[in-house]
Amino acid sequence: MAQVLKKLTTQVLKPNNVDTIVGCTGLRASSTWWNNVQMGPPDVILGITEAYKKDTHPKKVNLGVGAYRDDEGKPFVLPSVRKAEEILHSRGLNHEYAPISGEATYTDAVAKLAFGEDSPVIKNKSNCTVQTLSGTGALRLGLEFITKHYAKAKEIWLPTPTWGNHPQICNTLNLPHKKYRYFDPKTNGFDLQGALEDISKIPEGSIILLHACAHNPTGVDPKPSDWEQLSKVIKERKLFPFFDMAYQGFATGDVDNDAFAVRLFVKEGHQVMLAQSFAKNMGLYGERAGALTFLCGDEATAAKVMSQVKIMVRVMYSNPPLYGARLVQEILTNAELKKQWLGDVKQMADRIITMRSQLRAGIEGAGNPHPWQHITDQIGMFCFTGLKPEQVERLTKEFHVYLTKDGRISVAGISSQNVNYIAEAIHKVTS
Amino acid sequence: MASRFQGVEQGPPIEVFLLNRLFTEDTFQNKVNLGVGAYRDENGKPWVLPIVRKMEKQLAADETLLHEYLPVLGLEQFCNASVAMLLGEDSPAIAAGKAFGVQVLSGTGGLRVGAEFLNKHLKYDTFYYSTPTWENHHLVFVNSGFTKPRSYRYWDPKTRGIDFDGFIEDLKSAPENAVILLHACAHNPTGIDPTREQWMKIADVMEERKLFPFFDSAYQGFASGDLDGDAWAVRYFVSRGFELVCAQSYAKNFGLYNERVGNLAVVLNESAHVARIKSQMTWIVRGMYSNPPAHGAHVVAAVLTNKQLFDEWRDHIKLMSTRVMQMREALRSELVKLGTPGNWDHIVKQIGLFSYTGLNQRQCEYLIQEYHIYLLKSGRINICGLNPGNVQYVAKAINDAVTKFPDDHDNRAKL
């Protein structure tokens, strides 16, 4: 673990953080237990937000953190969530311990949302679905389960690139992780051939992580026909698909569309694992509402898996926090609220899509020579602009536009107020 | 249909939850649940603290409060207030910047994050837990990477008190850097706490043997009704110059069981280490659940940082702990009235939610099967499950059980 952290330190270290580290190692030794604790590497995205906060420039823009913002740049509490909160409060529920796996009404509802109301895998009770601490909790629990109970190749293949925390969770679990091609920097699109080639060589039985929709950080999703090809080769290699679905509804604005890949794989007979998050699509970020599903083939196996998952939950946090889950449950099981929610999530997705259009139009309109179609081809909260690190640095230093070094922007941070400014800035640093 | 997980074995059920399920499914009219450790009012119902209801209403109406992510290490206000509540507002450790808190998922989460940190970064691999202890302690530490679990003697069935000599002997033979799991107050499951003199002796030995204190504080305020009194042991160790960690839970004292609110308090000898330790704990949390749930922390922080609300909360704790003490008295009194064989003083000597009754497994089974009174086979009962409506029934049942199945082993008290 110490070795891995040292490596991460070198990778992510930014000049302005070196002082802190040098400062610490320069300390005199004292008779405490903690002397040998190394300074952990700083979190890249949090670092950007901190720098943004300190900046006093009037036109500064934060395109770093992946949290939705409305057209005024403000956090958005979904009307359906507000309504659900009112209902919840009027019920005067108590705070007694939840079951270890979460309330059954919650897990049933979220499984149906993901797999479809009439999904056979739910009907035959072959799914083991547990409430988790949002998406991260689901990934951690699922991967830890694999390290303890999966008999085959305990290695996981991640798309290139992927969410920064994916490999970190794997490292924490000492689960070897490797990469398959995904993003094509030449086209700023999906590298189907590269992916198929790499996947066809993955050792049988390995786990393959797939982003169900709205890939983070690139925003590049495979087309339906691409998914069909992926499904085929994954089946041929007998790989174990683990879907990370953090943006259902948020990508196209339609929850069923966004679950296409997951449902296709289920139809094709894959027994997938699925991590779900309600952080973005219900704006419940800090309440940590999520779920993990194993498709186990039959009810009996699902029950056995459940018994083991519960033991793992018990030794991590005993049972899950209910506040967020109760809101999700309320929304999904109340027809009127659910309808309202579907509208809210479409509204968010539509605003993102509109901002993508306007950003692209702004850059192209300035006469910029480079192709910018990928801005509208990509989907979801994030966009891999294709900007190089030097260009990113200029964007931040000269224009006070904050984004990650890899050129990723959070489209949610764009508004009608700042889209022209951002377009102009991108144009300037790329011409 | 074939599955990758066909070979997965059915995991053993966790006793206390199985018991709860059996209780729920039982249709017997006079059934009594003395199993799960949650507070119940005099009608046997869960009790949402009025201050919690009030704060939740207030928070719901607060338009500025959204559902944004908390920092990885939690709501700072919450953490600071928790550390102050534990160590005392004017603790020199706090003033010197040597103490900090990390918001965690209730007590279990605090134990897990603390144990992970100690194992991964200080390389500690040996931990000691009391005999008996909360059933989850052992597995949490083992799953955090500790390879050498050891126990120290604690409950003495002969005296129904602490086997203090055994306790000290076991500490004296512990290797340097062993992590010693200590219950800050209201020991679970026995309800017997060391006296202050005993805590001092424990500290002496731990200092001499260079052992690391890991306190589990799940009942601050709930034990004696006094927050400061219940924190005495932790504060004493800090005053002795120990570096330590303490997992604080708000499940019972705030009744926020299902919101998973807790704080891991860390006390160091040098404030200079704080930043590094926080940075590593950040990575531990990030790899587990990214950041903690917001709701419960907002409620607790709002109360702890407002004098009036804090006082209101103190009244609630007093109410709960008083009711518990009253039920202890009531049970003992009923048992004595019935002429129940045995000495039942330990019931009122013990403190907190639980009582180690001294009933053996056979007697416990009888209580469950014959009387539909649910308790752990260790003889642990949750005193909160008692109320004026059922205490006589329970006493009668216990009387019957010990009479029918007199304990012929030496380890049962001779009356």
Side-chain angles (χ1 to χ4, degrees):
Chain A
M1 178 74 167
Q3 289 291 71
V4 169
L5 288 174
K6 272 204 189 113
K7 217 163 134 214
L8 276 171
T9 311
T10 342
Q11 284 170 10
V12 307
L13 200 56
K14 287 165 82 176
N16 59 345
N17 281 302
V18 170
D19 289 344
T20 332
I21 300 214
V22 167
C24 277
T25 53
L27 282 174
R28 270 164 291 132
S30 54
S31 62
T32 77
W33 318 79
W34 321 95
N35 268 329
N36 296 324
V37 175
Q38 302 291 318
M39 173 64 88
D43 184 298
V44 177
I45 293 166
L46 289 181
I48 290 171
T49 301
E50 268 164 45
Y52 166 82
K53 283 194 183 139
K54 290 192 184 122
D55 190 333
T56 51
H57 195 271
K59 288 202 156 175
K60 65 177 182 175
V61 183
N62 188 359
L63 299 181
V65 174
Y68 181 80
R69 294 286 176 266
D70 64 15
D71 197 52
E72 290 171 2
K74 299 217 170 53
F76 175 63
V77 177
L78 282 62
S80 51
V81 170
R82 276 247 184 271
K83 199 82 211 290
E85 280 183 298
E86 275 167 39
I87 295 175
L88 196 63
H89 284 290
S90 69
R91 291 243 184 88
L93 298 173
N94 63 39
H95 289 293
E96 292 299 289
Y97 287 123
I100 299 176
S101 51
E103 299 278 359
T105 16
Y106 172 81
T107 52
D108 284 346
V110 306
K112 288 197 173 121
L113 179 68
F115 297 101
E117 288 285 330
D118 300 310
S119 174
V121 293
I122 298 182
K123 284 213 150 93
N124 69 10
K125 298 196 169 76
S126 63
N127 65 313
C128 166
T129 303
V130 303
Q131 183 187 338
T132 57
L133 278 281
S134 210
T136 306
L139 289 159
R140 167 58 183 261
L141 196 61
L143 292 178
E144 191 162 338
F145 189 88
I146 282 170
T147 62
K148 293 200 158 96
H149 297 283
Y150 182 56
K152 301 218 165 73
K154 290 197 230 279
E155 68 180 44
I156 184 166
W157 290 70
L158 311 170
T160 317
T162 193
W163 183 43
N165 208 15
H166 283 147
Q168 266 145 231
I169 296 172
C170 297
N171 292 336
T172 305
L173 295 167
N174 289 324
L175 182 65
H177 53 92
K178 308 210 171 98
K179 300 205 272 250
Y180 61 90
R181 275 172 286 170
Y182 186 87
F183 178 74
D184 186 346
K186 287 197 287 302
T187 61
N188 286 319
F190 179 50
D191 182 359
L192 176 65
Q193 284 321 308
L196 290 173
E197 247 173 68
D198 287 351
I199 293 174
S200 65
K201 299 203 189 87
I202 295 180
E204 258 191 39
S206 305
I207 303 120
I208 178 166
L209 185 87
L210 303 154
H211 297 226
C213 63
H215 182 272
N216 177 1
T218 68
V220 168
D221 283 351
K223 297 195 299 290
S225 54
D226 295 342
W227 278 119
E228 275 159 23
Q229 292 194 61
L230 289 167
S231 165
K232 204 155 151 276
V233 71
I234 287 172
K235 206 191 281 194
E236 274 159 23
R237 296 303 299 155
K238 298 194 173 64
L239 305 181
F240 187 175
F242 190 165
F243 276 98
D244 183 354
M245 184 153 73
Y247 300 99
Q248 188 184 6
F250 213 97
T252 62
D254 178 299
V255 293
D256 296 310
N257 276 352
D258 289 350
F260 170 81
V262 173
R263 296 179 190 183
L264 169 72
F265 271 57
V266 171
K267 199 171 78 168
E268 294 292 299
H270 296 271
Q271 288 181 358
V272 308
M273 274 171 71
L274 172 69
Q276 279 172 277
S277 166
F278 292 94
K280 283 82 169 175
N281 60 9
M282 287 203 186
L284 289 172
Y285 307 91
E287 306 299 352
R288 319 313 289 130
L292 171 69
T293 296
F294 297 81
L295 293 184
C296 304
D298 58 51
E299 196 176 346
T301 308
K304 285 194 289 187
V305 169
M306 178 65 97
S307 71
Q308 294 292 353
V309 171
K310 280 184 178 171
I311 292 172
M312 287 171 54
V313 169
R314 178 83 171 140
V315 297
M316 232 192 269
Y317 52 86
S318 275
N319 44 78
L322 272 211
Y323 188 72
R326 279 174 161 166
L327 292 173
V328 174
Q329 186 180 318
E330 194 60 50
I331 289 173
L332 294 180
T333 57
N334 176 324
E336 204 183 301
L337 266 187
K338 186 170 179 193
K339 191 158 162 242
Q340 186 166 5
W341 171 60
L342 292 173
D344 293 342
V345 96
K346 182 158 191 339
Q347 189 192 324
M348 291 194 288
D350 283 348
R351 196 184 89 66
I352 303 263
I353 292 170
T354 306
M355 288 300 104
R356 285 180 180 276
S357 278
Q358 291 186 7
L359 180 66
R360 176 183 166 189
I363 304 172
E364 285 174 348
N368 191 289
H370 302 287
W372 296 99
Q373 191 185 327
H374 55 284
I375 293 186
T376 47
D377 282 348
Q378 291 167 5
I379 197 166
M381 207 180 287
F382 301 111
C383 168
F384 242 33
T385 55
L387 290 172
K388 313 233 179 351
E390 321 81 70
Q391 295 166 327
V392 170
E393 205 176 320
R394 277 190 67 197
L395 259 188
T396 306
K397 286 213 161 81
E398 288 172 39
F399 296 93
H400 305 269
V401 174
Y402 290 78
L403 66 161
T404 46
K405 227 170 35 182
D406 53 10
R408 182 194 89 160
I409 58 171
S410 169
V411 183
I414 305 180
S415 73
S416 53
Q417 322 287 328
N418 61 26
V419 64
N420 293 328
Y421 176 72
I422 298 167
E424 175 102 23
I426 291 179
H427 166 63
K428 291 216 165 97
V429 304
T430 55
S431 25
Chain B
M1 194 208 229
S3 156
R4 298 178 176 87
F5 298 112
Q6 275 164 191
V8 170
E9 284 181 16
Q10 178 77 30
I14 297 158
E15 190 195 353
V16 68
F17 296 115
L18 177 59
L19 201 71
N20 217 43
R21 213 186 72 214
L22 293 173
F23 170 81
T24 311
E25 289 165 6
D26 190 338
T27 50
F28 189 76
Q29 187 166 20
N30 292 331
K31 63 182 181 177
V32 183
N33 190 354
L34 300 180
V36 162
Y39 180 78
R40 292 285 176 268
D41 66 13
E42 60 278 3
N43 297 312
K45 296 263 177 319
W47 187 54
V48 176
L49 279 57
I51 190 71
V52 169
R53 278 260 183 264
K54 187 154 90 171
M55 293 325 297
E56 287 188 303
K57 241 204 186 103
Q58 215 171 294
L59 292 170
D62 184 352
E63 298 260 315
T64 65
L65 205 61
L66 308 157
H67 295 291
E68 295 289 282
Y69 288 125
L70 286 184
V72 177
L73 299 183
L75 186 64
E76 205 173 324
Q77 250 197 335
F78 165 83
C79 298
N80 293 340
S82 297
V83 172
M85 184 182 90
L86 178 71
L87 301 184
E89 246 173 49
D90 34 20
S91 164
I94 297 180
K98 295 178 185 171
F100 68 91
V102 171
Q103 185 186 339
V104 288
L105 298 165
S106 208
T108 307
L111 291 161
R112 180 64 185 254
V113 172
E116 288 271 357
F117 179 83
L118 293 174
N119 177 259
K120 303 292 181 295
H121 296 283
L122 300 194
K123 312 280 183 238
Y124 294 163
D125 63 359
T126 307
F127 72 101
Y128 277 73
Y129 53 92
S130 64
T131 320
T133 193
W134 181 46
E135 139 275 324
N136 205 18
H137 276 149
H138 183 272
L139 280 179
V140 170
F141 273 73
V142 164
N143 278 277
S144 300
F146 279 76
T147 51
K148 302 194 182 77
R150 304 241 169 93
S151 60
Y152 59 87
R153 280 165 280 173
Y154 195 78
W155 167 255
D156 184 350
K158 280 199 282 303
T159 62
R160 290 183 184 171
I162 298 184
D163 173 5
F164 195 62
D165 289 339
F167 189 163
I168 293 297
E169 218 179 284
D170 290 340
L171 285 184
K172 281 194 167 144
S173 65
E176 190 176 313
N177 293 342
V179 176
I180 314 297
L181 204 48
L182 301 161
H183 298 231
C185 69
H187 184 272
N188 176 0
T190 68
I192 296 280
D193 288 341
T195 62
R196 290 189 178 184
E197 291 67 38
Q198 288 175 328
W199 275 122
M200 290 178 188
K201 191 83 210 319
I202 293 166
D204 288 341
V205 178
M206 287 185 63
E207 189 179 297
E208 193 196 308
R209 300 288 308 149
K210 296 198 178 47
L211 308 176
F212 186 87
F214 196 137
F215 279 97
D216 184 351
S217 176
Y219 303 100
Q220 188 181 1
F222 214 110
S224 66
D226 170 33
L227 287 168
D228 298 310
D230 287 350
W232 188 87
V234 180
R235 295 180 190 184
Y236 177 71
F237 270 66
V238 171
S239 73
R240 284 283 295 261
F242 279 91
E243 293 183 300
L244 53 85
V245 299
C246 176
Q248 298 171 262
S249 167
Y250 289 98
K252 282 78 169 179
N253 59 14
F254 255 88
L256 284 172
Y257 307 92
N258 69 17
E259 302 299 353
R260 319 313 290 130
V261 200
N263 183 63
L264 178 68
V266 183
V267 182
L268 314 173
N269 277 346
E270 293 240 5
S271 56
H273 302 305
V274 171
R276 294 204 316 284
I277 291 158
K278 278 187 172 177
S279 74
Q280 294 298 355
M281 288 201 173
T282 298
W283 287 100
I284 291 175
V285 169
R286 185 81 169 134
M288 235 190 260
Y289 51 87
S290 274
N291 45 78
H295 179 75
H298 281 302
V299 172
V300 173
V303 172
L304 295 186
T305 55
N306 176 313
K307 179 159 189 335
Q308 196 183 321
L309 300 175
F310 200 137
D311 287 342
E312 240 177 279
W313 174 54
R314 262 196 250 254
D315 290 340
H316 296 332
I317 306 180
K318 203 108 193 60
L319 193 155
M320 291 193 285
S321 58
T322 303
R323 199 183 92 66
V324 169
M325 289 185 237
Q326 283 168 351
M327 283 301 107
R328 288 184 178 276
E329 284 294 346
L331 179 61
R332 195 259 299 257
S333 148
E334 292 296 326
L335 288 169
V336 166
K337 233 193 277 176
L338 292 168
T340 312
N343 183 320
W344 300 97
D345 286 349
H346 55 285
I347 293 190
V348 297
K349 286 205 197 114
Q350 291 161 355
I351 198 168
L353 278 186
F354 302 111
S355 169
Y356 235 34
T357 53
L359 293 169
N360 64 33
Q361 196 166 329
R362 185 68 194 90
Q363 293 159 343
C364 292
E365 275 165 15
Y366 182 68
L367 283 180
I368 299 174
Q369 281 152 12
E370 191 65 27
Y371 286 91
H372 305 262
I373 295 171
Y374 291 79
L375 72 165
L376 297 189
K377 62 182 193 284
S378 63
R380 183 192 91 167
I381 59 171
N382 176 3
I383 299 285
C384 298
L386 296 172
N387 55 60
N390 66 19
V391 66
Q392 284 173 346
Y393 176 72
V394 172
K396 183 165 149 290
I398 292 176
N399 182 27
D400 189 17
V402 303
T403 309
K404 221 188 205 83
F405 303 101
D407 199 7
D408 44 20
H409 291 133
D410 214 36
N411 63 4
R412 269 298 73 79
K414 290 307 190 218
L415 335 162

